[in-house]
Amino acid sequence: MPVIAPMPAARPARIPGQRDGADDTVAAGTTVDHLTETYRTHYRSLLGLAALLLDDTASCEDVVQEAFIRVHSARKRVRDPEKTLAYLRQTVVNLSRSALRRRILGLKLLSKPMPDMASAEEGAYDQLERDSLIKAMKNLQRRQREVLVLRYFADMTEAQVAETLGISLGSVKAYGSRGIAALRVAMEAPA
């Protein structure tokens, strides 16, 4: 996964109006100069941490940049310079988790395509055909009905039907043939 290299190391920039010592309200380790140096030194490692948690470079870069923005905003609360990097790492992990949660939620909320459904007329017609078929099946002889149900609805071979019913293979073929012929006649007849 390609990553963008941080800016080359340079002398920390001097902020206009800042005295030579650290700002009284900000701890020495969390000044803007210290954050700039931390950025130059640890940007790639933080980007690598984000890359382990996320899957695309743009998201990783966004997470690391956001982490630095949050540390900069909260720099008055980070008193120990040693804890700045730990705070950045934890922020990268938390932001990565949040990004993953948002993605998962987005995937769940995506509208799912509707299955190919028949129109209301087609559904009604299919129901009428099923009803007619069931009625015609009930009017068949018992053995014909058994052979057709096992052969076509249970998807058995003729040999399996013969074994299940305890009849010969020829009988299965005969009952099946006569049953289908009777169904054709019954289904073609006006209701």
Side-chain angles (χ1 to χ4, degrees), residues 3-156:
V3 288
I4 297 175
M7 299 185 318
R11 288 185 76 224
R14 183 160 161 60
I15 299 173
Q18 185 180 16
R19 291 177 284 172
D20 285 339
D23 189 4
D24 291 338
T25 60
V26 178
T30 57
T31 62
V32 173
D33 288 342
H34 177 71
L35 286 175
T36 303
E37 189 59 35
T38 303
Y39 178 86
R40 288 183 182 130
T41 308
H42 296 288
Y43 177 81
R44 288 183 71 85
S45 66
L46 291 170
L47 199 57
L49 175 64
L52 292 172
L53 301 170
L54 298 170
D55 58 352
D56 65 302
T57 305
S59 296
C60 296
E61 291 169 351
D62 290 344
V63 162
V64 173
Q65 291 298 326
E66 182 66 24
F68 273 100
I69 290 169
R70 289 188 183 192
V71 169
H72 176 72
S73 298
R75 69 184 184 277
K76 292 179 182 178
R77 292 185 304 210
V78 181
R79 300 280 180 210
D80 188 0
E82 300 298 319
K83 292 184 179 177
T84 303
L85 183 58
Y87 187 78
L88 277 167
R89 285 184 182 133
Q90 188 61 49
T91 305
V92 166
V93 169
N94 289 341
L95 290 172
S96 297
R97 287 178 184 157
S98 295
L100 289 173
R101 275 193 296 270
R102 281 191 303 276
R103 283 185 195 167
I104 290 169
L105 183 61
L107 290 174
K108 285 181 181 177
L109 295 178
L110 281 177
S111 62
K112 296 180 181 171
M114 292 295 291
D116 290 335
M117 295 178 63
S119 67
E121 291 108 12
E122 290 175 19
Y125 182 72
D126 289 344
Q127 183 64 41
L128 287 173
E129 276 191 337
R130 274 193 300 274
D131 292 344
S132 305
L133 179 62
I134 291 170
K135 184 178 177 184
M137 289 287 289
K138 288 180 180 178
N139 292 330
L140 292 177
Q141 294 177 6
R142 181 179 57 89
R143 280 287 189 200
Q144 290 174 348
R145 185 173 51 249
E146 290 171 350
V147 167
L148 292 179
V149 167
L150 292 175
R151 180 77 175 99
Y152 297 105
F153 293 102
D155 203 28
M156 292 183 169

